[in-house]
Structures are given as structure tokens and as C-alpha cells.
Amino acid sequence: MKTPSAKKARDEDPPSYLIDTRIKELGDWRGEMLAHVRAIIRQADPDVVEQVKWKKPSNAMRGVPVWEHDGIICTGETYKSAVKMTFAKGASLDDPSGLFNASLEGNARRAIDIHEGDKINEKALKALIRAAVALNTSTAKQRKMKA
């Protein structure tokens, strides 16, 4: 059952509010999982920046939550049967715990599909997030040195 929000989110609202609103609108396990994933991301990187990107009719113009630090770390998409965390540079990250279980064939991205009832290995996910931040930060430093 969907939970009505106190007010309808607008484009000019801060991204954190738009993500809060999306979580409340979902009103089911996907909202709870997205909130949980978001908390893990914030714990792993307190300097993370939240954005909402790619607003289009197929996502009811709500957009996709995006977490950034010197570039995109990951996105948090919701589908009927999964919450998908897509790491923009996931193919370049070590994943010793085997969290990546989707989008494995690409040259850049890797994803984690989380289904209802799945348990998250928080320690491994935090390590993956920190590795993505480190990769983004090193890439940003290289760009600055070339400029």
C-alpha cells in the first residue's frame, strides 16, 4: 500500500527531500530497502552528495536517486521485484564478497539486485562504496593534474 506524502515533491525541492518522498511513496519493502541502502551509503561516505537524475515518463518523472563523490558512486533504482544499486565504475572495482549479481557483462557498470527478504552484507557493501569513492577521487586528482 502506498503511503501519501505530506506534500507532492517538486523539481526545485532538494534531492534529499525528493529521495525521502520516493521512499515514502513506495510504502513497501522496496522503500524500506532503499532507505537502508541509503543509510549504508551515508555511513560509508559521510561526504556523499545526493542527487536525483534522469527524470522521464518511464519513472513517472520522479528520477533516480544518485549518490556522488567526485563522480557517481551508484544509483538506487526501484523495480517491482528489486531494488537495484548500479555502480557507475563497478567493472573497475574489486568485489571479493561477490555482491555484484547484475549487469556483469558491461565494460563499466556493475549492479546489485536486492530482492524482498534479501540480507545485505553491510561490511562488504561499505567496502565497495569506499572503493568506488577512492576510484572517483583518484580519477578526479588525475584530471586536475592534467589541467
Side-chain angles (χ1 to χ4, degrees):
M1 183 170 121
K2 292 187 178 183
T3 306
S5 57
K7 72 172 193 173
K8 187 168 174 67
R10 302 166 310 200
D11 285 343
E12 62 270 12
D13 286 327
S16 60
Y17 178 80
L18 296 174
I19 296 169
D20 288 341
T21 301
R22 179 67 181 137
I23 289 168
K24 289 175 188 168
E25 285 175 348
L26 286 164
D28 59 14
W29 73 269
R30 297 170 303 160
E32 292 171 13
M33 186 60 71
L34 186 58
H36 185 61
V37 164
R38 181 189 199 190
I40 293 169
I41 293 167
R42 289 173 161 178
Q43 290 168 10
D45 180 18
D47 296 325
V48 72
V49 175
E50 293 185 319
Q51 299 290 336
V52 175
K53 298 184 178 192
W54 307 298
K55 294 179 182 179
K56 54 190 176 184
S58 64
N59 61 33
M61 303 307 286
R62 289 185 188 99
V64 176
V66 178
W67 292 275
E68 299 181 344
H69 186 142
D70 287 331
I72 295 175
I73 299 168
C74 65
T75 64
E77 300 164 89
T78 54
Y79 298 95
K80 286 184 180 182
S81 64
V83 172
K84 179 184 284 287
M85 291 182 71
T86 302
F87 285 73
K89 298 177 184 173
S92 299
L93 300 174
D94 287 333
D95 180 22
S97 297
L99 295 179
F100 291 132
N101 61 9
S103 303
L104 301 175
E105 64 286 341
N107 293 330
R109 295 178 310 199
R110 293 286 183 272
I112 303 168
D113 282 354
I114 307 166
H115 300 92
E116 187 171 11
D118 285 355
K119 300 281 186 250
I120 295 176
N121 180 338
E122 291 186 26
K123 183 177 178 182
L125 183 55
K126 286 178 185 178
L128 200 57
I129 292 161
R130 289 180 183 127
V133 170
L135 179 60
N136 284 355
T137 302
S138 69
T139 304
K141 284 180 185 175
Q142 288 173 0
R143 281 193 305 262
K144 286 178 185 177
M145 291 174 70
K146 289 180 182 179

